[in-house]
């Protein structure tokens, strides 16, 4: 390799020699390509004449790849190198290692988190059996000539129409929210923050005006949430500009995949049908033993099922968009949807079970740490809980779904690798202050509150005793359906952050994130930081 560093001295310029050199280059290149395709990297001997150094001149010196080694032209002739002997060919040869995951890793055929996949399927079997049984009991009650029949007819007349109307309204709002966010992201971020405040406040005031104990309790809850929502909107007002920039940039690739919304529509359709049957099961439970317990179990089952549907849509969109960023691939949406429903379904079940609880507890603990007080014991406990939640967050977070979709990792492994990636690129402060997930959550709350306003007024006019129950169900249905639809923008934003962290030099990324990092490092970021480490314990 020392000779390779010497300057090239060209002493002869004969057309015949140049012709031979070009022919030999082509032959050696073809041989090199064949060897490289076979995964073989060998060596070739250099043949140098016996003439003394002063009798020949170096005509050309060129550095080639391992399959086409250094060639030296002696006396204007290009030597032909002998091929390795069979003994040399049989020797093991080193293959180059790749710094990035190979393409084979993108098509992992391993089922992730199989235990939770089994638990989810078992839960679905039990839920379907319970729904069918309760439907049978409801039909059986209608056929009897007693008080049960009269109660069943009352439920069908005054309960079912409002809840089904809430289902239709929620799926309509879900389509509308997703379309509006995709078309007008800059306007919709502000609109969602304040419309959620107004709708939840309106729902609370309306329920209180009915002057029933159950509706008053619900009304106080909605008003309390609206106050918190208003304070949050004021607190994050300086983050909105950056959130809008990221959302606009991350949604751009969606137009390149016309069928990307199709899995969302499938999940919304399946969710609507399942909720319709679920509503009938709730009606059957009202005339069965221990109705509160059965209804609570049905609600938990529906929450887990719809959350899995949302994350299946999340995984589908994440794989399509992430492969576009990382590999420039035009992925087949249908194939990605199949992977999410089969190989990655276990991780979707595990994430759907724990991520909402982890994020909710993390928000509560962070809220406590934003307060200052004189009670050292209480705030020491809050600080301790914050450290515990931050440790748990590394092993389970919503950012993990991108690496699950792309590399087929398990949920815990993907969470660890994703957060380590953010730390390596110094992005943890930026992703912590991102409000995209909050915007998607508030969109669901806004839809649920609007369903409450419509359904509560209708129910109070026809059957007042059902007002609180139907209002709560309407909010639940509206929230869940909208959350499924909002999986698309949330997945796009997650892909933008994670793919940037994996390859910041990609030409598809602009200077939005680097400028934000520089602003934070320079101390010109005026945004109130989200607490990640207890302030009293900071050095």
């Amino acid at each position: 390799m020392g000779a390779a560093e010497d300057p090239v001295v060209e002493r002869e310029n004969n057309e015949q020699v140049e012709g031979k050199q070009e022919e030999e280059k082509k032959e050696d290149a073809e041989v090199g390509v064949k060897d490289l395709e076979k995964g073989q990297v060998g060596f070739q001997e250099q043949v140098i004449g016996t003439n003394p150094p002063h009798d020949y001149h170096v005509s050309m010196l060129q550095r080639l790849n391992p399959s086409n080694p250094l060639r030296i032209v002696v006396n204007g002739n290009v030597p032909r190198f002998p091929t390795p002997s069979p003994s040399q060919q049989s020797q093991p040869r080193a293959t180059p290692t790749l710094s990035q995951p190979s393409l084979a890793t993108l098509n992992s055929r391993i089922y992730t988190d199989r235990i939770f996949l089994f638990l989810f399927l078992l839960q679905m079997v039990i839920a379907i059996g319970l729904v069918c049984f309760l439907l049978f009991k409801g039909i059986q009650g209608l056929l009897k000539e007693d008080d049960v029949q009269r109660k069943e007819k009352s439920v069908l007349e005054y309960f079912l129409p409002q809840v089904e109307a809430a289902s239709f309204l929620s799926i309509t709002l879900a389509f509308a929210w997703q379309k509006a966010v995709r078309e007008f992201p800059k306007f919709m971020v502000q609109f969602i923050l304040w419309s959620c405040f107004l709708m939840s406040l309106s729902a609370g005031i309306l329920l209180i005006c009915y002057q029933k104990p159950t509706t008053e309790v619900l009304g106080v809850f909605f008003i309390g949430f609206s106050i918190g929502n208003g304070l949050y909107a004021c607190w994050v007002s300086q983050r909105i500009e950056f959130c809008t920039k990221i959302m606009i940039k991350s949604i751009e690739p969606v137009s390149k995949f016309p069928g990307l919304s199709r899995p969302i529509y499938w999940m919304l359709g399946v969710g609507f049908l399942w909720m319709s049957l679920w509503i009938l099961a709730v009606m059957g439970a009202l005339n069965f033993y221990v109705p509160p317990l059965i209804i609570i179990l049905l609600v938990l089952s529906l929450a887990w099922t719809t959350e899995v549907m949302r994350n299946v849509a999340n995984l589908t969109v994440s794989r399509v968009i992430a492969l576009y960023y990382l590999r420039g691939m035009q992925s087949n949406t249908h194939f990605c949807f199949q992977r999410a429903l089969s190989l990655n379904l276990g991780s979707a079940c595990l994430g759907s079970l724990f991520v909402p609880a982890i994020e909710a507890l993390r928000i509560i603990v962070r809220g406590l740490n934003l307060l200052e007080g004189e009670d050292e014991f209480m705030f020491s406990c809050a600080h301790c809980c914050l450290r515990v939640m931050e440790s748990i967050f590394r092993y389970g977070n919503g950012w993990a779904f991108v690496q699950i979709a792309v590399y087929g990792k398990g949920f815990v492994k993907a969470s660890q690798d994703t957060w380590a990636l953010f730390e390596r690129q110094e992005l943890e402060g930026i992703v912590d202050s991102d409000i995209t997930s909050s915007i998607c959550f508030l969109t669901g709350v806004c839809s649920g509150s609007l369903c409450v306003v419509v359904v509560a007024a209708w129910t109070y006019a026809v059957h007042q005793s059902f007002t609180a129950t139907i209002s709560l169900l309407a909010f639940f249905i509206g929230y869940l359906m909208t959350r499924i639809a909002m999986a698309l923008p949330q997945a796009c934003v997650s892909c933008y952050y994670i793919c940037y962290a994996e390859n910041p030099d990609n030409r598809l990324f602009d200077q939005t994130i680097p400028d934000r990092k520089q602003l934070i490092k320079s101390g010109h970021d005026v945004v109130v930081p989200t607490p990640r480490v207890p302030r009293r314990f900071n050095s």
Side-chain angles (χ1 to χ4, degrees), residues 243-257:
C243 174
T244 303
K245 289 181 180 179
I246 292 293
M247 188 171 290
I248 293 173
K249 186 65 178 177
S250 62
I251 292 177
E252 285 180 0
V254 176
S255 60
K256 302 179 184 296
F257 304 93

Side-chain angles (χ1 to χ4, degrees), residues 365-366 368-369 377-387 534:
V365 172
R366 282 182 166 184
L368 292 175
N369 279 272
F377 176 76
M378 185 182 71
F379 284 96
S380 295
C381 292
H383 297 158
C384 180
C385 291
L386 178 60
R387 290 188 180 276

Side-chain angles (χ1 to χ4, degrees), residues 179-198:
K179 184 66 175 178
V181 169
R182 288 174 54 186
E183 296 295 331
F184 314 104
K186 186 175 182 179
F187 169 75
M188 290 305 296
V189 172
Q190 288 270 14
F191 179 77
I192 290 170
L193 281 171
W194 293 108
S195 64
C196 181
F197 165 75
L198 293 175

Side-chain angles (χ1 to χ4, degrees), residues 365-366 368-373 375-391 531-538:
V365 172
R366 282 182 166 184
L368 292 175
N369 279 272
L370 287 174
L371 304 175
E372 290 289 349
D375 192 334
E376 293 292 336
F377 176 76
M378 185 182 71
F379 284 96
S380 295
C381 292
H383 297 158
C384 180
C385 291
L386 178 60
R387 290 188 180 276
V388 171
M389 291 309 303
E390 291 300 327
S391 299
R532 299 187 67 252
V533 179
R535 287 181 289 174
R536 295 191 178 191
F537 294 162
N538 287 341

Side-chain angles (χ1 to χ4, degrees), residues 493-512:
V493 172
S494 299
C495 288
Y496 190 86
Y497 278 116
I498 294 170
C499 294
Y500 174 85
E502 190 165 331
N503 184 14
D505 298 327
N506 194 322
R507 62 181 178 82
L508 296 174
F509 302 119
D510 58 8
Q511 289 297 115
T512 303

Side-chain angles (χ1 to χ4, degrees), residues 149-182:
Q149 184 192 45
R150 288 192 295 272
K151 189 174 182 181
E152 290 281 350
K153 288 183 178 180
S154 176
V155 170
L156 283 176
E157 184 177 359
Y158 302 115
F159 188 97
L160 183 61
Q162 294 91 313
V163 182
E164 288 294 342
S167 299
F168 278 106
L169 179 59
S170 64
I171 195 170
T172 304
L173 291 172
F175 285 118
W177 283 119
Q178 188 201 109
K179 184 66 175 178
V181 169
R182 288 174 54 186

